[in-house]
Amino acid sequence: MPSALRWAIRWASYLALAILVGILGVCAWVAPTIATNPRVHSALKGSLIAIGALGALQLLMLAGDIGGVSPLTAWSSLGTALGTTAGAAFGVRVLAALALGWLVRTRPRPDLARSPVTAAVTLALLASWAFAGHAASMRWSLIGVPLDIAHTAAAAVWVGGLIVVARIVFDERDVPTLAATMVRFSRVAPIAVGVLVGTGVVQSLRLSGIPDLSLGSTHTRLLLVKIVLVAVMLKVADVLSLIHI
């Protein structure tokens, strides 16, 4: 399978995760009542379908790599793939998506996002990303996995939460609700960005050590892009904290 397609599948799964965790984060800490919004319910189910389907596809891709065949004909290598750390993580991802799908099969309750069961399954889902990547395979995995979970969760709460607030809550056209929502989100957003930055710095040191900061290195160019993105996120968070409706 072409490398570009693999990256597209990977980033599509990250986007689906961001939408899912963003919705759950908004429902838990910002605006619990929007859990009953039909569009929120549809977005929640859509993100779970995408996560489950893409996770299954990534598992088949891994099985295909192991068997040296196309993912579509890699069924005989599934057992071997599931015996690897990454394969087991993809399997857990699919099962967690199915479990959350069962929990939201009907119109979700306002307290769904605060349910311990929902929290546990979402944690398993986030952990599947950590165990499928460098967090578990590189040095200091004992701290790498929890750091990766926190990093991914913070990014999802920020990005997904912002999408939910902007796209759904704003559409309510209810000024008092909007004002209260913005106040609560402006408290959550800086915390999410802070966790994102802190865990990102530690993970970078864990994976690469002291980086080569010469402008000609790929690492430095990527680091500069990340710094710009984080600066934009911090500015948006700052603007949100100053909004008074």
Side-chain angles (χ1 to χ4, degrees):
M1 184 173 288
S3 177
L5 183 56
R6 290 174 183 265
W7 275 99
I9 292 171
R10 180 180 178 183
W11 285 106
S13 67
Y14 268 114
L15 177 60
L17 179 69
I19 293 172
L20 170 69
V21 177
I23 290 174
L24 293 177
V26 169
C27 291
W29 303 307
V30 179
T33 57
I34 70 165
T36 56
N37 185 304
R39 282 187 293 177
V40 172
H41 192 208
S42 296
L44 196 60
K45 291 195 296 184
S47 63
L48 286 168
I49 291 171
I51 289 171
L54 292 170
L57 179 56
Q58 287 175 296
L59 178 59
L60 284 172
M61 288 164 52
L62 178 60
D65 291 340
I66 291 173
V69 296
S70 165
L72 298 178
T73 58
W75 301 98
S76 61
S77 300
L78 271 179
T80 305
L82 287 169
T84 66
T85 300
F90 290 135
V92 168
R93 186 177 304 176
V94 173
L95 292 176
L98 289 172
L100 277 176
W102 184 82
L103 289 173
V104 301
R105 67 194 184 283
T106 57
R107 198 168 193 166
R109 307 180 310 275
D111 62 342
L112 175 68
R114 295 187 176 184
S115 163
V117 176
T118 302
V121 178
T122 303
L123 181 61
L125 196 61
L126 288 165
S128 74
W129 261 266
F131 280 99
H134 296 305
S137 61
M138 301 290 283
R139 64 176 181 171
W140 306 345
S141 60
L142 192 61
I143 65 170
V145 169
L147 281 173
D148 190 80
I149 291 173
H151 187 76
T152 304
V157 166
W158 167 250
V159 177
L162 192 60
I163 292 172
V164 174
V165 169
R167 180 69 181 90
I168 298 173
V169 178
F170 278 29
D171 286 352
E172 295 294 327
R173 307 294 182 183
D174 182 342
V175 173
T177 299
L178 178 57
T181 298
M182 290 304 302
V183 168
R184 286 192 290 268
F185 187 69
S186 68
R187 294 169 182 164
V188 172
I191 295 173
V193 174
V195 172
L196 182 65
V197 173
T199 54
V201 170
V202 176
Q203 286 287 62
S204 179
L205 293 174
R206 183 182 73 87
L207 295 174
S208 306
I210 304 300
D212 174 13
L213 296 180
S214 62
L215 292 177
S217 71
T218 301
H219 184 281
T220 301
R221 290 194 294 269
L222 290 174
L223 182 61
L224 288 174
V225 171
K226 288 184 177 182
I227 290 173
V228 171
L229 290 175
V230 169
V232 171
M233 293 169 68
L234 289 171
K235 183 60 179 178
V236 173
D238 182 57
V239 170
L240 287 175
S241 69
L242 296 175
I243 290 179
H244 297 283
I245 299 178

